[in-house]
Amino acid sequence: MAQQGTSSTTAPVGTGLDLAAFNAMSEGIVVQSSDGSILQSNPAASHILGLTPDELTGRTSLDPRWRAVHEDGSPFPGDTHPAMVALATRQPQRGVVMGVHTPEGELHWLLVNVDPIPGAVDEQDPSVIVSFTDITEQMLLKAALAETEERYRLIAENSADVILRVIDGRVAWVSPSLTAVVGWDPETWIGRPPTDFINPDDFAALELDMPALEAGLTVRTRARILDPTDSYHWVEGTARRYSSGPQGEVSILIAFRDIDAELAAAELEHRASHDTLTGLLNRDEATERLTEILDSPGTHPVAVAFCDVDDFKAINDTYGHLAGDAVLQSLADSIRARVRDVDHVARFGGDEILVVLDGVRDLTDAERIADSVRRRVQAPIRYGHDLLDVTMSIGVTLVSPGEPIEALLDRVDLAMYKAKRDGKNRVRAVPPPSVLLG
């Protein structure tokens, strides 16, 4: 390092180990006298400030060439620099952020600490030691992050969805759209756990999403959110963990929207196409789907099974219509559990259930599947203290592409009645017209 320009009698570091440590520090160190003049500096100070030791020696905090600024970009007057404050008050100064300009015009950001030196008696005695770290990179990152967050905030504040940021389990920020979506003033949510506003019955489902959330995955879920009138609204949203800032602060960003109207529309659509008692497709919906199959045949045969409860009237007469309803609900559940997702199950009339088997090998395969359904529903059904033995007669046929739907339904109905005549609790198959003619 170049000569410091001060004698060893005025320096706070002398020779040997102390001087070696002073010169080896990665922090910038300058020693200033009682009038603010720099008496001594280490190599790190020269590197950070862009000045040689000789250029630093004698310069004061009041020198306008520093062009010092605060974090907000406002001027940082020389007499308020941390070194000058420490000289005036004889009190240490800690963690002061200031920006100074190098001779080349570059702005370097410094984190400054100042300690007074006891025993200084005249203006040439070392009076304070100033240490500083170059935090320019961190400040640039912070500025970029702030710009990104401001853009995000502008987007969030103008979004119809509710967007909130959760830190340490509490809401740190929430978008103004909260008021329009669920009626709350955003300030009501700040500082509170989101669970304060979620239906407790939804906690278990949300808890299942936590491992994926902790792993950094985006989680999509539904829950019911409380409004100020103590009513709940269904919302659908996404959540994801983010790390931001120099310290890697972890937060959870959540975005959700009200889906009450969508669910209501879906419910109406479901009611229009499904039987209220059993939840199966209703006759109209099943007829429509069968018509589509007849008009647009696939590459694999399609079969239809027509199921009728044996002696259903006797069940109603003996145990009452509620018992009959319970039987139909149980049968619907059993049949749904036996067939595949691609198959269609419909309540076609009082105790009649139609099953469309989409993609079978042949009529024999369809008959085998129908018989497995028959066996599945044979298990006794409990109603109150009674066990009801229920069986079904089932007719089966294959769809003949292009035939009228009435002809198809007449044929499978004929097969079902054949099963009834042959003793009930059995399956009978009738081939399609092309096979009969062949």
Side-chain angles (χ1 to χ4, degrees), residues 168-283:
D168 295 331
R170 296 183 180 273
V171 177
W173 183 83
V174 61
S175 62
S177 53
L178 181 71
T179 304
V181 174
V182 285
W184 291 104
D185 184 319
E187 289 300 319
T188 308
W189 281 41
I190 301 300
R192 296 177 64 178
T195 49
D196 282 358
F197 303 95
I198 297 175
N199 191 314
D201 292 342
D202 297 332
F203 288 173
L206 296 175
E207 194 67 30
L208 294 176
D209 293 329
M210 291 308 297
L213 194 61
E214 293 293 335
L217 302 177
T218 297
V219 172
R220 181 178 294 276
T221 190
R222 289 183 174 185
R224 285 161 288 182
I225 299 292
L226 185 70
D227 72 12
T229 68
D230 291 332
S231 298
Y232 283 99
H233 299 266
W234 276 104
V235 302
E236 181 178 68
T238 58
R240 185 165 185 172
R241 294 175 81 246
Y242 286 91
S243 297
S244 61
Q247 305 303 317
E249 182 181 64
V250 175
S251 61
I252 298 175
L253 289 181
I254 301 171
F256 66 80
R257 61 189 181 90
D258 186 307
I259 57 170
D260 279 342
E262 291 178 29
L263 292 180
E267 177 63 21
L268 286 175
E269 184 178 350
H270 185 271
R271 288 181 182 181
S273 60
H274 288 73
D275 174 60
T276 305
L277 176 65
T278 62
L280 300 178
L281 299 176
N282 59 27
R283 185 186 184 100

Side-chain angles (χ1 to χ4, degrees), residues 38-90:
I38 295 176
L39 301 175
Q40 195 170 7
S41 60
N42 72 347
S46 292
H47 175 72
I48 293 170
L49 299 175
L51 296 166
T52 67
D54 287 338
E55 289 171 332
L56 282 171
T57 300
R59 185 182 277 206
T60 72
S61 297
L62 301 176
D63 194 317
R65 288 176 296 177
W66 293 120
R67 288 186 289 155
V69 293
H70 289 286
E71 281 189 81
D72 63 3
S74 62
F76 202 142
D79 59 357
T80 63
H81 288 194
M84 301 307 290
V85 173
L87 285 168
T89 64
R90 305 306 296 172

Side-chain angles (χ1 to χ4, degrees), residues 280 306-310 315 326-339 345 351 353 355 369-382 387-394 424-427:
L280 300 178
F306 197 45
C307 314
D308 187 87
V309 181
D310 295 324
I315 294 173
V327 166
L328 290 174
Q329 289 170 335
S330 178
L331 291 175
D333 291 342
S334 295
I335 294 173
R336 260 191 305 243
R338 174 59 190 86
V339 299
V345 185
D351 61 333
I353 295 176
V355 183
I369 297 171
D371 196 57
S372 71
V373 169
R374 180 192 65 80
R375 293 195 306 272
R376 177 69 178 258
V377 302
Q378 276 191 122
I381 298 171
R382 179 169 294 280
L387 283 176
L388 309 182
D389 291 318
V390 180
T391 62
M392 300 190 85
S393 297
I394 304 176
K424 304 177 184 177
N425 189 25
R426 63 196 66 227
V427 176

Side-chain angles (χ1 to χ4, degrees), residues 10-13 20 50 57 88 121-122 147 155 164 194 216 223 261 300 302 313 320 329 335 381 390 410 437:
T10 61
V13 277
T57 300
V121 295
D122 61 49
E147 183 179 350
I155 294 169
L164 60 149
H300 299 287
V302 175
K313 184 176 183 301
Q329 289 170 335
I335 294 173
I381 298 171
V390 180
D410 286 346
L437 294 173

Side-chain angles (χ1 to χ4, degrees), residues 144-179:
L145 179 63
E147 183 179 350
T148 300
E149 290 186 344
E150 179 61 22
R151 285 200 300 267
Y152 161 76
R153 185 176 293 259
L154 286 171
I155 294 169
E157 288 180 348
N158 289 280
S159 172
D161 289 358
V162 176
I163 301 174
L164 60 149
R165 186 180 186 189
V166 178
I167 299 175
D168 295 331
R170 296 183 180 273
V171 177
W173 183 83
V174 61
S175 62
S177 53
L178 181 71
T179 304

